[in-house]
Amino acid sequence: MSFLELNKVTKIYPNGTKAVHETSMNVENGEFMVFVGPSGCGKSTLLRMIAGLEDITEGYINLDGILINKVDPSDRDVAMVFQNYALYPHMNVYNNLAYGLKNRGISKEDIEKKVNEAAKLLQISEYLQRKPSMLSGGQRQRVAMGRAIVRNPKIFLFDEPLSNLDAKLRIQMRLEIKKLQQKVGVTSIFVTHDQVEAMTLADRLAVINNGLIEQLGTPIEIYNNPKSMFVAGFIGSPQMNFLEGELINKTLTSEGFEINNVTSDFNGPVILGIRPEHMSQTDKGLINLSVDLVEQLGSDNLIYGEIKNKKDFCFRCPGSQIIKKGSKLSLNINDNNYYVFDKSNGNRVN
Amino acid sequence: MKIKFSQILAHIVLILGVLLMVIPIWLSFASSTHDTVTILKEGMQFGLGDQLTRNYNEVLNEKGGWSEEVTAAKMFINSFIMALGIATLKVIISAMSAYALVYFRFKFAVPIFWLIFITLLVPLEVRIFPSYKIVSDLGLTNSYTGLVLPLVASATATFFFRQFYKTIPDELLESAKLDGANSWRFFIDFLVPLSKTMIAAMFIFMFVYGYSQYLWPLIMTTSEEYWTVVMGMKIIFTESYEGVALPRTAERFAYIILSMIPPVLVVVFLQKWFIKGLIQTEK
């Protein structure tokens, strides 16, 4: 039996909107699970059902062997970090951390010990007497984490906690969250719409779309082996290129080139997916790209151009290569790293 | 340093406003230091007179009323108790009912709120006879309970608390829930401290409202023991002169000055909280 079990969990709002459809998954003890998906896909609702902030319409959730469908949020022993931190504005940092412990009837000495430990771990010891309004974004973030850690809960829930921070701090906090989770070893669920966050943080990743889990797996599994066009387009940056085409008798025709010996028995209209980083320049390649725009990122160059009818086709090459606007490139796909999807439903067919 | 014309203008307006407020008070105070004859002969006085100690002594110690039993001090205490009771209960009841309206999503919460709000259109003066009937049936005439109870519901304060609670983000409640706070704890540990400036403001308004009640205590009390300041202003310090009741003007001025002290004290004391709330933005 897994640490956290979701079995056919469904959420239907009173107005009839179905936010989560019969979702089942298991999260193991100590695992870092990330829910990723576009906004409105139901990932936050799913998290809030685990926290007990939303009722479960159908299905059941088991945490540590206990059915928690009807358990009050305060008795579930879960801790949550909110997007806007939800720090208690009228209490200083110490009391913010101590409040949950006080409500659990823990003795004053123990509270002080635990708060100081957590503060030390998060390097907020100097700010314990300050009010949240006197802290910077990063410090507030740490206090919010501290409030979760100090209670030593069964599970951490993160609801897009990094989206209020600036880019640099976000990367730094991302790293810290990952390190902290490894150090404390608490089972965690992290909700985000940022695929880079998802890839870097997750032990396992659940890509959610329209209230359904599209794919569940380790980040690299999902990157290498997306099961659907949605997952393929969502994971990976810059986004995968999609080209329309036709697959007949293992031969794929698309935008002026052909790929033979496709490992698929599918026949009909398809979408061909190629990641920008899975191509390289050759003398006589499959794809002829006329360059419209070059983004130089230093380490890499992102080349955008046109191939036959497809605009904004992206190709990624090392930053040392100098490519000028208006030039023509000939590209090959490396090691048959391409994906073929059924055009009608977006499912992977190769 | 160059002073702008608009600044000068603003100051002139402010100074005029201050004078408008202060002059009547000064007039009353200055007049309270003269004797009645001077005031009756020459009108209100701008300068200080020599009767200050005598007039104030008279006011504080003399027994007035029909039975010559009630003192001004007793009336101050009565008014203070009445105002304090009204203000405290109004704040507590309004804060709690607003809490129920905002956080307990029961059926018809909105219609109930508007029902409460409509009572603004029915002030005490309109419902004074039914209110009197109820209070007298309960046997509460001539009691502090009777003075306070019919006035403790407040649509205004309920409205303000409701609007304030609605600005508090839901995450705060959710976070508190996960931290093990029940609805009572959330009210005491979160809403009360977060709205303390609001509470102070409401308390001041409601205290002054209670302190200046006239009609209700007038109808409610037959015993002089429960007379309040505003009632007393009309009744005590009258002198009979050839069968005509003449007001003892100087003492009355002294009485007016004294009667201003309790509400002023409340404002001064609670102002600290006001300013504190203004300086620390806690959101």
Side-chain angles (χ1 to χ4, degrees), chain A residues 48 51 53 73-74 78 80 82 84 86-91 96 99-100 103-104 131 133 147 151, chain B residues 169 171-172 174-182 185-186 189-191 193-194 196 280-283:
Chain A
R48 291 165 59 83
L53 301 172
S74 55
V78 301
M80 188 153 164
F82 292 83
N84 62 3
L87 298 181
Y88 309 142
H90 57 295
M91 298 181 188
N96 262 283
Y99 187 70
N103 282 335
R104 279 173 172 71
K131 291 264 179 81
S133 55
R147 210 167 55 180
R151 268 174 38 206
Chain B
E171 282 88 352
L172 208 60
E174 290 171 349
S175 185
K177 262 191 203 165
L178 290 173
D179 260 346
N182 56 26
R185 285 248 71 90
F186 182 67
D189 291 343
F190 289 84
L191 294 183
L194 284 173
K196 62 186 176 197
Q280 299 175 341
T281 42
E282 290 190 317
K283 269 205 257 173

Side-chain angles (χ1 to χ4, degrees), chain B residues 89-103:
Chain B
L89 288 174
K90 259 182 194 276
V91 167
I92 293 173
I93 290 170
S94 310
M96 289 177 110
S97 58
Y99 178 47
L101 285 171
V102 175
Y103 287 96

Side-chain angles (χ1 to χ4, degrees), chain B residues 124-194:
Chain B
L124 181 75
E125 286 73 14
V126 177
R127 56 181 168 91
I128 201 151
F129 288 109
S131 293
Y132 178 80
K133 169 84 173 125
I134 291 166
V135 171
S136 96
D137 283 354
L138 290 171
L140 292 174
T141 47
N142 288 323
S143 73
Y144 290 124
T145 320
L147 279 173
V148 170
L149 211 55
L151 296 167
V152 293
S154 170
T156 328
T158 309
F159 174 72
F160 277 112
F161 278 115
R162 173 182 180 262
Q163 298 312 95
F164 177 74
Y165 293 162
K166 284 190 143 193
T167 65
I168 291 176
D170 284 345
E171 282 88 352
L172 208 60
L173 172 67
E174 290 171 349
S175 185
K177 262 191 203 165
L178 290 173
D179 260 346
N182 56 26
S183 17
W184 176 247
R185 285 248 71 90
F186 182 67
F187 182 67
I188 296 295
D189 291 343
F190 289 84
L191 294 183
V192 170
L194 284 173

Side-chain angles (χ1 to χ4, degrees), chain B:
Chain B
M1 198 177 75
K2 218 176 135 187
I3 302 167
K4 278 188 196 147
F5 174 72
S6 62
Q7 275 180 324
I8 299 172
L9 193 75
H11 277 86
I12 290 173
V13 172
L14 283 173
I15 289 165
L16 282 177
V18 169
L19 288 178
L20 206 66
M21 299 290 290
V22 168
I23 286 175
I25 296 172
W26 173 253
L27 271 179
S28 308
F29 178 71
S31 303
S32 75
T33 59
H34 290 269
D35 59 19
T36 301
V37 181
T38 325
I39 296 166
L40 287 180
K41 266 200 221 154
E42 299 167 23
M44 289 179 86
Q45 300 294 309
F46 247 109
L48 290 172
D50 53 0
Q51 300 294 312
L52 184 128
T53 355
R54 196 202 72 91
N55 285 347
Y56 282 83
N57 254 332
E58 198 100 315
V59 168
L60 284 175
N61 298 321
E62 193 182 282
K63 291 181 194 286
W66 298 303
S67 53
E68 305 274 314
E69 260 171 13
V70 67
T71 63
K74 176 71 182 160
M75 289 194 286
F76 287 142
I77 291 168
N78 285 347
S79 278
F80 194 78
I81 291 171
M82 184 181 173
L84 196 69
I86 288 174
T88 314
L89 288 174
K90 259 182 194 276
V91 167
I92 293 173
I93 290 170
S94 310
M96 289 177 110
S97 58
Y99 178 47
L101 285 171
V102 175
Y103 287 96
F104 294 80
R105 290 183 186 134
F106 54 89
K107 264 188 176 180
F108 310 121
V110 176
I112 287 173
F113 168 71
W114 287 111
L115 207 66
I116 293 173
F117 201 69
I118 282 172
T119 60
L120 273 183
L121 303 175
V122 195
L124 181 75
E125 286 73 14
V126 177
R127 56 181 168 91
I128 201 151
F129 288 109
S131 293
Y132 178 80
K133 169 84 173 125
I134 291 166
V135 171
S136 96
D137 283 354
L138 290 171
L140 292 174
T141 47
N142 288 323
S143 73
Y144 290 124
T145 320
L147 279 173
V148 170
L149 211 55
L151 296 167
V152 293
S154 170
T156 328
T158 309
F159 174 72
F160 277 112
F161 278 115
R162 173 182 180 262
Q163 298 312 95
F164 177 74
Y165 293 162
K166 284 190 143 193
T167 65
I168 291 176
D170 284 345
E171 282 88 352
L172 208 60
L173 172 67
E174 290 171 349
S175 185
K177 262 191 203 165
L178 290 173
D179 260 346
N182 56 26
S183 17
W184 176 247
R185 285 248 71 90
F186 182 67
F187 182 67
I188 296 295
D189 291 343
F190 289 84
L191 294 183
V192 170
L194 284 173
S195 61
K196 62 186 176 197
T197 48
M198 179 77 132
I199 288 173
M202 282 300 141
F203 188 86
I204 291 175
F205 292 140
M206 297 310 168
F207 186 91
V208 173
Y209 167 86
Y211 196 77
S212 54
Q213 280 301 311
Y214 175 63
L215 198 57
W216 180 248
L218 190 69
I219 290 183
M220 257 292 302
T221 55
T222 47
S223 156
E224 285 164 17
E225 213 185 316
Y226 292 101
W227 277 8
T228 61
V229 168
V230 187
M231 290 167 68
M233 216 169 272
K234 172 123 179 40
I235 294 164
I236 67 167
F237 306 119
T238 329
E239 207 153 73
S240 197
Y241 180 73
E242 292 181 352
V244 182
L246 280 181
R248 286 155 58 194
T249 321
E251 283 94 331
R252 281 198 176 178
F253 277 122
Y255 180 83
I256 286 168
I257 293 295
L258 285 175
S259 73
M260 284 191 318
I261 292 170
V264 167
L265 280 181
V266 168
V267 173
V268 167
F269 176 70
L270 288 180
Q271 211 176 21
K272 277 187 192 167
W273 292 80
F274 252 159
I275 293 166
K276 222 177 168 185
L278 290 176
I279 294 168
Q280 299 175 341
T281 42
E282 290 190 317
K283 269 205 257 173

Side-chain angles (χ1 to χ4, degrees), chain A residues 111-122 125 149-150:
Chain A
I111 291 177
E112 203 176 324
K113 215 177 102 198
K114 284 182 181 196
V115 170
N116 285 332
E117 268 171 28
K120 210 172 148 195
L121 188 66
L122 290 158
S125 301
I149 288 172
V150 79

